[in-house]
Amino acid sequence: MKRNILTMVLFFLTISAFAGRPIPPSDVAPEDWTRIPYCERRPEFVPTEAEKTRGFALFTRPITDPVYPESRPGAEERTTELSGFAAGDQWLTLNFAVYPLRELKNLRVVAGEFACGEHLLRDVQVRLVTYRDVRYTHYNSKTKQYRVLPEYLQPVTECDAPEKVSQRYFLTFYVPKGCPAGKYTGRVTVTYDGLSKAATLPVTLEVLPFDLLKDPTKHYSAYYYAPFRHTLVQTGQKDEAWAREVMRKEFRVMRDYGFDRSPVMCMGYDLEEKKFFIPNFDFWQELMKENGMEPPIPTIGGSVSWVLTKYCDVKFGSHLVMTGTPTEEAYAEIEKLCRAWKKECDAKGYPAMVFGPLDEISPQSTEFGVRIYKIFHDAGLPTYTTKEPMDPSFMAYDPVVDIFASQVFLPPYDEVMTKHKKEYWCYPNHNSYERKDMVIMCHGGRQTYGFGFWRSGFDMLVPWIWRNNSPDHFNLASSGGANILNPETGDMIMTTYWECFREGIHDLKYLYTLQTAIVQREEATDPAVQALCQSGRALLQEIWDSIVVQEKYLSGDLIPSEKFDVYRRAMAEVTQSLLKYPATNEKVAPSVIVEPRNVEHPDSFEVQYQEKLKAGKLRLIPVDLTKCRATEKEATVEVVPGKDGKPNAMLRVQVDTQNDGTGNPSGNYLSGWPALVYNFPAGTFDRVPKGIRIRYRVTSSRTDCEKFPLTVGVRPVTSFTITGKPMGDAVQEVVHTLSDNNRYDGLATSDAVPAHLRLTVSENHYQNSDDVRFLFEEISLIDWDEQE
């Protein structure tokens, strides 16, 4: 109650403050929560005399690189001007930060006009990156830890800036189609109470003489709660008219952030008329038309599980794990509802929809899930399912699913192209709201939405979630995060990572615009045009080959932040040169015109490891295999003698997807995570080691399977999955970095040194009754001195 009162006080104070100040409510962490501060490793900033006199320094860094309250600028990041370039129909964001050398009262940042001769750029936004306490490291973490993140973007002109707490501003331009080319110049002024002369930051935006084109096969959407379900409406503080106006505003913002398909609709069940329906569907279609969003509309729900519980004695746990058996009467009712809904859709001429009646359904409910999907499919309602390709039930849905949606970019590109269903969708929740790490969300997000999307062969990105209805970051029963609403105006307050997603979308537009320019001029006989086409293809092939292909683009092996813009500039220059020559055809360019080859990128850690091993400069910190233990009932850990007489640890897992191995009476997780666990003694590490080495063998009761995935977690540093194969007595060796794709940004040594090891078998990846054994001959952490 104490925290809630304080939160409301802060809320009303900010709402009543004069115009232009930050206004969203700020969750205040409860007293029993621990703050995990960002650990800044840059040296102390040394200001110039001019900066001391002025009271602040100005700096800039790529928008994919976060600025935390604890961040310090590097000397090389100082800036005295901003510049960028954009084509027609593009949003471009430049940024700068004010680093206060003392407390600055009423810090004011204002952008002037941006003009090229008589032409003005009218849609210019200045938004402050505002900090917020956020549950850390995941949106649903139960550890009562939080971090202050640069979460939200607000159109703020005034704020109070504490000493050495950077205030970062995003300066965003929209360049409309057909905008006259040229250099548009303007400036931003920065001042505060007591400063005798405002600082000015000159800004130059070069508008290119062409418009961007969009790949017609690439689409963007997101899961969405319509504002009728928002907390303010449910509690009676706002009415339906407010919700409709909010929805109208939201669709406009979605359009501006690249949505070309409707956000995901929720289909409900009408208790009185006993039929499926979609709330406010006519209004929804109107907004789609206004904002250029094309069908098919992704649609979830239908209250299938609710209808089933009404007709028979079944219950559903997490991931629709079912207890009880649905009756034939229940299935018949679902079939009746589906056929009635199909008839209504046809009669009223509704736009095309794709239905996901069940979300992330567990493998043990496969028979039930496939039957429900078949009912929808046979009724003429196209379907999609949220399944991971490594899920053993993945292919069971193939005959009754039109579109596969997975959280990862799997299947790989060549398989997507050769076994193409209608479409493949990815819902990259790790970049949007799920993993509360700014590098994963911003840097990994830009790569996911742009070059990674291109490289995947997938058709649509549809992450969870666009906006949360109840953004309480500290309610352990809910999931706080994502974009929020200004409760007074109903305007969207965007998160910083959506800005990075939009940059990725524009990366892909530059790429497709160049591809179109090439395809439409390759038949020209002019040697100059042929040379430009070859140059463009070579550039595109370089970009393709430079991508380290990943299932998830998180925080490792990404295109360097600065190189995003290097590639974009290079693509723009070739495009501009090509467009000086007339097209020889009107062909529609395919998504990929390069050779879709797979390039092996050497693992830098393995290279270093081999060098240090050969030189005898490795330091190994062994895990005591005699002190490992098992978790969950399906797992046992036994110490067995190795070939050399040293003790080995045998992890045996007898997969049981019918019972919850934790002993949880609710039985929500029948497919569990049995594991081998080891706790490192306190004081084992004074720094984070470089990597881990595992030497093991795997055997199994299965003879029809070659892959046995095992997740290696070295907490809190990292986790990754290895895939063992039965190889008789042959020992498999895995060497892996601890600074990899799952690392979290800016952890202090005290927060980052390994605390425990967990080797986990996810039962979702196995079949019921599988008996699998992992024999570990060695588990060691790897380190070496950088100076050697």
Side-chain angles (χ1 to χ4, degrees):
M1 177 62 70
K2 181 178 180 181
R3 176 177 69 86
N4 291 336
I5 293 173
L6 181 56
T7 298
M8 294 305 293
V9 168
L10 287 174
F11 171 72
F12 286 114
L13 283 175
T14 53
I15 289 295
S16 62
F18 54 83
R21 283 186 171 271
I23 60 175
S26 179
D27 289 348
V28 178
E31 293 179 357
D32 60 338
W33 283 58
T34 301
R35 178 175 175 178
I36 306 296
Y38 173 76
C39 180
E40 177 60 87
R41 290 183 168 83
R42 288 183 177 87
E44 285 292 335
F45 179 74
V46 180
T48 64
E49 290 303 317
E51 289 168 337
K52 290 178 183 177
T53 301
R54 189 173 61 186
F56 61 84
L58 295 175
F59 70 97
T60 187
R61 62 180 56 160
I63 65 168
T64 51
D65 296 352
V67 175
Y68 296 93
E70 301 89 353
S71 293
R72 293 188 289 267
E76 75 287 353
E77 294 181 319
R78 279 191 177 93
T79 187
T80 56
E81 62 180 354
L82 296 177
S83 63
F85 64 92
D89 197 25
Q90 179 187 343
W91 293 85
L92 176 71
T93 296
L94 306 176
N95 81 95
F96 68 94
V98 178
Y99 184 64
L101 301 174
R102 52 179 174 267
E103 183 181 9
L104 307 180
K105 284 289 186 181
N106 292 328
L107 175 66
R108 298 181 288 281
V109 173
V110 179
E113 287 189 340
F114 289 85
C116 177
E118 61 182 11
H119 302 295
L120 291 177
L121 284 177
R122 301 191 182 279
D123 293 322
V124 180
Q125 304 171 353
V126 179
R127 291 173 292 171
L128 174 67
V129 179
T130 52
Y131 300 114
R132 189 163 188 180
D133 298 351
V134 174
R135 194 175 352 165
Y136 188 78
T137 56
H138 288 71
Y139 74 102
N140 61 354
S141 293
K142 309 300 183 186
T143 53
K144 292 191 175 184
Q145 296 180 155
Y146 74 98
R147 173 174 276 186
V148 183
L149 297 181
E151 186 84 349
Y152 294 112
L153 293 170
Q154 298 180 69
V156 167
T157 56
E158 296 186 14
C159 70
D160 294 329
E163 180 181 359
K164 294 186 178 181
V165 177
S166 295
Q167 306 299 310
R168 194 183 197 184
Y169 294 86
F170 278 21
L171 181 62
T172 301
F173 302 85
Y174 176 65
V175 179
K177 290 183 178 180
C179 182
K183 291 189 176 181
Y184 290 72
T185 58
R187 66 179 186 174
V188 173
T189 60
V190 182
T191 189
Y192 63 92
D193 289 356
L195 184 64
S196 58
K197 183 180 179 181
T200 61
L201 189 63
V203 182
T204 301
L205 177 65
E206 179 188 359
V207 173
L208 304 174
F210 61 88
D211 296 337
L212 291 181
L213 302 178
K214 178 188 174 297
D215 183 340
T217 69
K218 299 294 185 185
H219 306 289
Y220 300 91
S221 178
Y223 281 84
Y224 176 60
Y225 288 129
F228 303 95
R229 297 174 60 188
H230 195 277
T231 301
L232 293 174
V233 177
Q234 297 296 312
T235 57
Q237 299 174 64
K238 299 292 181 181
D239 59 15
E240 185 170 321
W242 178 86
R244 288 172 74 88
E245 182 57 28
V246 165
M247 193 170 172
R248 189 177 295 279
K249 290 179 179 180
E250 281 196 282
F251 268 65
R252 291 179 193 144
V253 177
M254 290 176 190
R255 174 201 63 199
D256 291 345
Y257 276 85
F259 282 44
D260 64 336
R261 285 212 181 143
S262 163
V264 177
M265 294 190 310
C266 293
M267 187 165 70
Y269 177 73
D270 190 314
L271 288 171
E272 293 183 1
E273 298 191 27
K274 297 181 180 179
K275 69 172 190 175
F276 289 151
F277 79 107
I278 296 175
N280 304 286
F281 194 24
D282 289 342
F283 184 53
W284 193 295
Q285 293 176 76
E286 176 187 327
L287 296 183
M288 286 178 58
K289 186 174 181 180
E290 282 181 10
N291 294 283
M293 296 178 183
E294 299 291 334
I297 305 171
T299 307
I300 60 171
S303 300
V304 170
S305 57
W306 187 91
V307 173
L308 286 172
T309 57
K310 177 177 179 292
Y311 277 86
C312 48
D313 186 22
V314 295
K315 295 181 181 179
F316 294 92
S318 178
H319 298 289
L320 293 173
V321 172
M322 183 173 54
T323 56
T325 304
T327 63
E328 289 302 315
E329 179 189 17
Y331 284 123
E333 180 65 16
I334 297 294
E335 183 176 354
K336 177 182 173 183
L337 291 169
C338 287
R339 295 193 180 280
W341 177 247
K342 170 62 175 173
K343 185 176 180 179
E344 181 178 342
C345 290
D346 292 344
K348 295 184 177 180
Y350 287 159
M353 289 173 268
V354 185
F355 297 88
L358 305 169
D359 185 43
E360 292 189 338
I361 185 168
S362 291
Q364 58 261 43
S365 300
T366 298
E367 182 179 349
F368 157 70
V370 170
R371 185 157 182 187
I372 292 296
Y373 269 85
K374 188 175 188 303
I375 289 172
F376 272 76
H377 196 265
D378 290 352
L381 302 176
T383 57
Y384 76 94
T385 182
T386 45
K387 276 284 172 189
E388 301 299 301
M390 67 284 293
D391 187 319
S393 66
F394 183 78
M395 291 310 298
Y397 288 84
D398 188 67
V400 293
V401 168
D402 298 286
I403 293 170
F404 268 127
S406 112
Q407 232 187 103
V408 295
F409 283 138
L410 279 177
Y413 177 84
D414 52 356
E415 186 174 333
V416 167
M417 293 297 104
T418 56
K419 298 181 180 179
H420 205 59
K421 300 189 78 66
K422 285 185 178 178
E423 289 184 2
Y424 284 91
W425 296 352
C426 177
Y427 52 107
N429 299 353
H430 41 280
N431 299 127
S432 174
Y433 160 82
E434 182 180 274
R435 301 282 296 268
K436 302 308 294 184
D437 180 89
M438 300 311 295
V439 173
I440 290 171
M441 292 189 290
C442 293
H443 194 164
R446 179 171 181 176
Q447 181 143 340
T448 296
Y449 271 71
F451 295 133
F453 191 21
W454 174 55
R455 183 62 179 79
S456 71
F458 274 53
D459 302 278
M460 187 162 80
L461 296 181
V462 52
W464 179 276
I465 187 174
W466 170 254
R467 172 187 43 75
N468 202 340
N469 279 333
S470 180
D472 182 351
H473 290 272
F474 299 104
N475 182 351
L476 293 178
S478 67
S479 48
N483 307 320
I484 59 174
L485 291 176
N486 179 331
E488 291 300 297
T489 66
D491 293 328
M492 286 295 299
I493 298 174
M494 298 298 295
T495 47
T496 50
Y497 43 93
W498 275 96
E499 203 69 29
C500 297
F501 298 170
R502 183 161 63 180
E503 289 296 322
I505 292 172
H506 287 313
D507 290 336
L508 201 51
K509 284 186 175 182
Y510 271 95
L511 189 149
Y512 189 73
T513 305
L514 172 56
Q515 291 190 154
T516 300
I518 292 171
V519 167
Q520 294 183 351
R521 286 162 181 79
E522 281 192 311
E523 297 167 357
T525 57
D526 187 332
V529 179
Q530 287 294 313
L532 285 169
C533 289
Q534 291 174 12
S535 176
R537 280 187 174 271
L539 172 60
L540 294 170
Q541 189 71 59
E542 177 189 335
I543 296 173
W544 179 277
D545 293 345
S546 71
I547 298 169
V548 180
V549 180
Q550 301 177 63
E551 299 171 12
K552 294 183 179 182
Y553 293 97
L554 299 173
S555 60
D557 293 323
L558 302 174
I559 292 174
S561 292
E562 296 80 4
K563 201 159 187 178
F564 282 122
D565 293 330
V566 171
Y567 280 145
R568 185 182 287 189
R569 171 62 83 174
M571 289 187 291
E573 289 176 350
V574 180
T575 301
Q576 188 170 336
S577 297
L578 275 169
L579 292 179
K580 293 176 182 178
Y581 298 91
T584 59
N585 63 68
E586 295 182 355
K587 293 179 180 177
V588 176
S591 291
V592 175
I593 67 171
V594 300
E595 180 188 347
R597 61 196 182 196
N598 293 319
V599 177
E600 291 294 330
H601 294 271
D603 185 291
S604 59
F605 175 77
E606 287 199 21
V607 171
Q608 286 183 292
Y609 167 79
Q610 293 297 337
E611 290 175 351
K612 298 296 183 181
L613 178 64
K614 188 177 294 185
K617 295 180 178 179
L618 281 182
R619 182 162 64 94
L620 297 177
I621 304 102
V623 167
D624 186 345
L625 298 177
T626 67
K627 295 184 179 179
C628 297
R629 59 183 178 84
T631 66
E632 302 199 10
K633 294 179 179 179
E634 294 92 342
T636 59
V637 172
E638 180 184 359
V639 178
V640 298
K643 292 181 179 180
D644 57 1
K646 295 180 179 178
N648 292 178
M650 171 76 80
L651 169 64
R652 180 181 182 182
V653 175
Q654 294 174 294
V655 177
D656 180 357
T657 59
Q658 308 304 308
N659 296 284
D660 187 323
T662 65
N664 185 345
S666 67
N668 282 342
Y669 296 100
L670 305 187
S671 287
W673 299 272
L676 173 151
V677 173
Y678 175 78
N679 295 319
F680 293 101
T684 301
F685 307 101
D686 57 6
R687 64 186 186 191
V688 180
K690 300 292 191 301
I692 185 170
R693 183 169 79 182
I694 301 174
R695 293 172 56 81
Y696 75 110
R697 289 181 281 145
V698 58
T699 58
S700 171
S701 60
R702 293 274 300 279
T703 59
D704 60 339
C705 183
E706 293 185 353
K707 296 182 179 180
F708 294 86
L710 180 74
T711 299
V712 180
V714 183
R715 296 300 185 189
V717 189
T718 190
S719 68
F720 58 93
T721 298
I722 59 179
T723 303
K725 297 182 179 181
M727 298 171 59
D729 290 333
V731 175
Q732 298 166 75
E733 180 174 285
V734 172
V735 175
H736 200 281
T737 178
L738 293 188
S739 297
D740 74 345
N741 212 12
N742 278 317
R743 69 180 182 272
Y744 285 91
D745 190 34
L747 287 176
T749 301
S750 58
D751 295 319
V753 295
H756 68 271
L757 169 77
R758 184 182 177 96
L759 305 176
T760 305
V761 171
S762 174
E763 290 187 301
N764 274 334
H765 296 164
Y766 292 81
Q767 293 183 359
N768 191 45
S769 300
D770 280 357
D771 187 344
V772 59
R773 306 180 190 198
F774 295 89
L775 179 68
F776 299 99
E777 295 190 355
E778 178 197 354
I779 304 173
S780 296
L781 294 218
I782 304 166
D783 205 5
W784 60 75
D785 292 327
E786 294 293 344
Q787 294 77 17
E788 293 185 357

